[in-house]
Amino acid sequence: MFKWDPCGLVCVAMIYFLIAYADYVILIWMLLPTFGHSIWTVIHGFVFNSLLITTLIAHTRAMTSDPGVVPISQSKVQKPPHHHNDEFSSDEDEESDEEAAFRRDHFNRPSATEWTMCTRCDSLRPPRAHHCRVCKRCIRKMDHHCPWVNNCVGEYNQKWFLQFIFYVGASSVYSLFILCLCWVYHDAYGTTGLKGPLGENIYHAKVIHSVMLAMESALFGLFVLAVSCDQLGAIFTDETAIEACQRRGRNYLSSSRRPRNSKVAMMKQVCGPGPKLLWLVPCATPQKSQPRYLRTHQQLAHFDV
């Protein structure tokens, strides 16, 4: 799923460089000159590097995982006919509560009942799938294409994207905390002090590195805070950014038709039904079973990836 998009590759390279630079400043210019080889250097260095490693793992998963690419159909198949409620009556006893809730919440939307043929990538799109001009494919429940992960954020990799922005925010906050802590305990006669053995140039270099890291942490912290609010709002309302734009443009979704599931239930649809602690761990998400009415539609067409 790796994309050779120039903008995305530049953004990914910037992320790797900024993470390496933050680790360099924290260890070389902050912790070691302030605390030396004490236990505090080990503790703060371990915590900060753990956050950075987890950030890289979540970023890699979000960048290389399938966001929900719709397979390309072998031939242009007409849109499956609309199924009436009486067609599902024979299976109501076997339908689970989750499937019934999904059908009740989503099939109230006009766009959620329509299977369409994409004229750009020649794929039969399921409900709520959209075409990405960068990836040149249709993505299931596509939210947006993010250049920072060089991939689309869709149904299957949204968890990794949430983890990535969460750990970027946590790393930014912790780096600001270490900066403040090290300047509080700054020794003017130390190795990086103004009156230290290495002179004023080292002190000025420490000041410059501190300012640069503080700006980096503040900017990325505010950025991921804004993105987190958008992502959580989209999850809790079960409405992607593209669907929100369509709703404002077409005005087809009223407030009475919004899903009534709890916020925890909506988060489970994205992060998995396991323990909530695993929501923060970049591990594999359990594969959720597809609702029966989606499987019925997919049986009407044959795909060739």
Side-chain angles (χ1 to χ4, degrees):
M1 298 307 303
F2 189 80
K3 310 294 189 305
W4 293 101
D5 175 49
C7 179
L9 294 177
V10 170
C11 291
V12 170
M14 286 180 57
I15 286 183
Y16 290 160
F17 170 76
L18 292 174
I19 289 178
Y21 176 75
D23 195 31
Y24 165 74
V25 173
I26 290 296
L27 292 178
I28 304 301
W29 290 94
M30 294 295 140
L31 292 178
L32 287 175
T34 304
F35 300 108
H37 296 280
S38 66
I39 187 62
W40 293 113
T41 300
V42 176
I43 293 175
H44 291 300
F46 175 78
V47 174
F48 186 70
N49 279 272
S50 297
L51 291 175
L52 295 185
I53 292 174
T54 312
T55 301
L56 290 175
I57 295 175
H59 180 269
T60 303
R61 296 297 300 269
M63 179 175 59
T64 59
S65 297
D66 178 15
V69 175
V70 178
I72 297 177
S73 58
Q74 293 179 345
S75 60
K76 292 187 177 181
V77 185
Q78 292 183 352
K79 182 178 63 176
H82 178 70
H83 290 261
H84 299 285
N85 292 335
D86 56 350
E87 297 183 17
F88 298 95
S89 58
S90 60
D91 292 330
E92 280 187 1
D93 294 336
E94 300 177 4
E95 187 178 58
S96 65
D97 295 338
E98 180 183 359
E99 293 176 344
F102 189 100
R103 177 165 57 84
R104 182 178 63 254
D105 292 335
H106 292 270
F107 267 55
N108 285 330
R109 305 181 181 182
S111 65
T113 62
E114 299 176 357
W115 282 68
T116 57
M117 177 64 70
C118 180
T119 58
R120 298 179 181 178
C121 62
D122 193 23
S123 58
L124 186 64
R125 294 186 297 190
R128 306 185 72 185
H130 303 279
H131 186 85
C132 176
R133 292 180 294 179
V134 180
C135 299
K136 296 183 171 72
R137 295 293 294 273
C138 289
I139 309 297
R140 293 173 57 94
K141 202 177 179 182
M142 174 183 170
D143 186 84
H144 68 288
H145 184 91
C146 180
W148 295 106
V149 298
N150 194 30
N151 200 359
C152 280
V153 178
E155 183 176 1
Y156 296 156
N157 70 338
Q158 190 174 19
K159 174 184 178 180
W160 317 128
F161 182 72
L162 288 175
Q163 289 179 346
F164 168 64
I165 60 178
F166 172 80
Y167 284 111
V168 168
S171 302
S172 300
V173 173
Y174 198 74
S175 64
L176 291 175
F177 168 74
I178 294 179
L179 280 175
C180 295
L181 186 66
C182 290
W183 277 104
V184 167
Y185 290 97
H186 174 71
D187 184 9
Y189 295 94
T191 56
T192 57
L194 183 60
K195 301 178 181 179
L198 300 180
E200 296 182 359
N201 291 335
I202 295 298
Y203 173 77
H204 294 157
K206 180 178 181 178
V207 172
I208 293 175
H209 283 304
S210 300
V211 173
M212 295 294 292
L213 182 59
M215 292 176 58
E216 174 189 340
S217 301
L219 289 176
F220 272 91
L222 293 175
F223 174 74
V224 299
L225 178 62
V227 175
S228 299
C229 293
D230 290 339
Q231 287 293 303
L232 293 178
I235 292 174
F236 295 153
T237 59
D238 196 21
E239 185 179 56
T240 64
I242 295 179
E243 292 170 344
C245 294
Q246 292 177 344
R247 174 175 57 84
R248 288 192 292 265
R250 303 175 186 176
N251 195 24
Y252 68 80
L253 181 62
S254 63
S255 59
S256 62
R257 290 179 179 177
R258 292 187 182 275
R260 299 182 180 181
N261 295 333
S262 64
K263 294 181 178 180
V264 175
M266 303 304 294
M267 286 295 296
K268 286 183 177 181
Q269 292 183 9
V270 175
C271 300
K276 297 181 181 62
L277 185 61
L278 293 180
W279 294 357
L280 300 177
V281 179
C283 60
T285 303
Q287 188 71 24
K288 297 183 287 292
S289 60
Q290 256 187 344
R292 179 176 294 103
Y293 47 87
L294 290 183
R295 294 198 300 267
T296 303
H297 282 300
Q298 289 183 333
Q299 291 173 357
L300 300 178
H302 298 283
F303 295 103
D304 181 18
V305 179

